[in-house]
Amino acid sequence: MKTSSTHQINKHRSAIIKYFLPSLFLSLPLFLFLLSLQSGHRRTTTVTTTIQAKPKPGSGDLLRIRPGYSSYDNYIQRQLNKTLNPKLRQIWTTRDWDRKIKVFSRFFDELKRQSLLSNDSRALCIGARVGQEVEALRRIGVSDSVGIDLVPYPPLVVKGDFHNQPFRNESFDFEFSNVFDHALFPEKFVAEIERTLRPGGVCVLHVSISRRADKYSANDLYSSEPLVQLFKSSDLVHVKKIDGFGLDTEVVFRKREN
């Protein structure tokens, strides 16, 4: 009796091994396939969430500082790489020279018609490189004009860092720049303008809002609103569209008298 029961148990075990194990092996690939689908779904969900989490222009992130600068010296060296590029300097002083002076003269003449600039203004051009802006001002009668850049270009441009202008407080009646996008510290860039601008003086910025600035830029601007917030001692005069060598917007401020 005992032997018969044992025999029956062994028989059941053999049946389980004979039919169950092959089924298990056959279903294993299907199980692994389903597992990979679930894992892939999780990865896709994560990526989608990350993309959606990025701030969009116009949703509060309107002025972005570009990453990648390990130190201020590293930032300065990158700016010098453009300013000292021999091919670019040759273009600026030859092929582009008269063309840019003509366009800048037109911009400045319009500002004179709006009483934002006069022949008596003491004017500063920030980030002037080889000084086409300065030359344009002088040609339309604003003779007391000078530019600053990391590399001097006498007699039009003196050496200076726009994060720390080499001028006394309230030195100028008019300041112009089309290199705001190269400012690593926009608040310092604007603070130096307001420091060196006389009460009632005018600052004109040409910026890129509708499109991304060049590869040497240190920030990207998506609205004029951050500029309004940065100019703490000045009032907004106007914002208008322009076509200025890749820049599309003119923003003008006047420093308050008091």
Side-chain angles (χ1 to χ4, degrees):
M1 210 45 194
K2 198 171 191 180
T3 303
S4 177
S5 297
T6 303
H7 177 72
Q8 289 293 329
I9 291 171
N10 290 334
K11 187 176 180 181
H12 283 301
R13 284 178 179 173
S14 298
I16 290 171
I17 293 171
K18 182 178 180 180
Y19 296 107
F20 175 73
L21 288 181
S23 300
L24 180 62
F25 284 118
L26 288 173
S27 62
L28 185 59
L30 178 61
F31 173 75
L32 293 174
F33 174 71
L34 293 174
L35 186 63
S36 68
L37 286 179
Q38 185 177 9
S39 175
H41 174 69
R42 285 174 181 169
R43 284 196 298 271
T44 303
T45 303
T46 303
V47 171
T48 302
T49 302
T50 303
I51 292 173
Q52 291 176 347
K54 288 182 179 179
K56 299 177 181 178
S59 64
D61 189 21
L62 302 176
L63 175 58
R64 299 177 184 175
I65 305 301
R66 293 187 184 179
Y69 296 107
S70 58
S71 67
Y72 192 69
D73 287 341
N74 176 258
Y75 156 77
I76 291 294
Q77 186 56 55
R78 181 163 175 77
Q79 299 306 309
L80 286 173
N81 289 343
K82 180 176 184 178
T83 304
L84 291 174
N85 184 304
K87 291 183 179 180
L88 288 176
R89 292 189 77 81
Q90 183 178 13
I91 291 172
W92 294 336
T93 55
T94 55
R95 189 181 73 194
D96 279 359
W97 182 256
D98 290 329
R99 180 175 68 94
K100 287 195 172 184
I101 289 173
K102 182 179 179 180
V103 174
F104 284 129
S105 296
R106 188 174 71 246
F107 283 134
F108 296 143
D109 268 330
E110 178 61 26
L111 293 169
K112 286 177 74 174
R113 284 193 290 271
Q114 298 172 28
S115 299
L116 298 171
L117 174 66
S118 75
N119 289 350
D120 295 328
S121 298
R122 187 180 186 211
L124 173 67
C125 295
I126 302 165
R129 295 186 183 129
V130 295
Q132 296 106 326
E133 307 96 313
V134 180
E135 181 64 23
L137 283 167
R138 294 182 180 184
R139 289 190 186 184
I140 66 167
V142 187
S143 57
D144 192 1
S145 306
V146 69
I148 61 166
D149 203 276
L150 292 173
V151 178
Y153 191 78
L156 300 175
V157 181
V158 300
K159 185 176 181 178
D161 181 349
F162 54 51
H163 290 116
N164 186 22
Q165 290 188 21
F167 307 110
R168 295 180 179 179
N169 295 351
E170 302 180 2
S171 294
F172 300 98
D173 305 293
F174 176 87
E175 298 194 26
F176 169 81
S177 182
N178 57 5
V179 297
F180 174 81
D181 58 296
H182 288 256
L184 184 62
F185 303 107
E187 68 285 352
K188 185 63 175 172
F189 178 93
V190 172
E192 282 296 276
I193 290 174
E194 292 196 312
R195 179 184 68 79
T196 56
L197 200 60
R198 292 168 181 161
V202 170
C203 171
V204 177
L205 298 180
H206 286 181
V207 297
S208 177
I209 290 178
S210 301
R211 52 195 168 202
R212 186 177 173 87
D214 71 28
K215 66 179 182 179
Y216 292 98
S217 299
N219 70 71
D220 294 296
L221 185 67
Y222 297 97
S223 167
S224 61
E225 185 56 34
L227 294 176
V228 176
Q229 295 174 5
L230 288 171
F231 277 85
K232 301 182 185 305
S233 302
S234 306
D235 296 316
L236 179 65
V237 176
H238 73 237
V239 178
K240 72 175 185 179
K241 291 295 180 182
I242 59 165
D243 182 10
F245 309 111
L247 307 178
D248 53 43
T249 305
E250 180 178 272
V251 189
V252 179
F253 294 90
R254 188 187 294 276
K255 186 175 177 181
R256 298 186 197 102
E257 294 286 350
N258 238 329

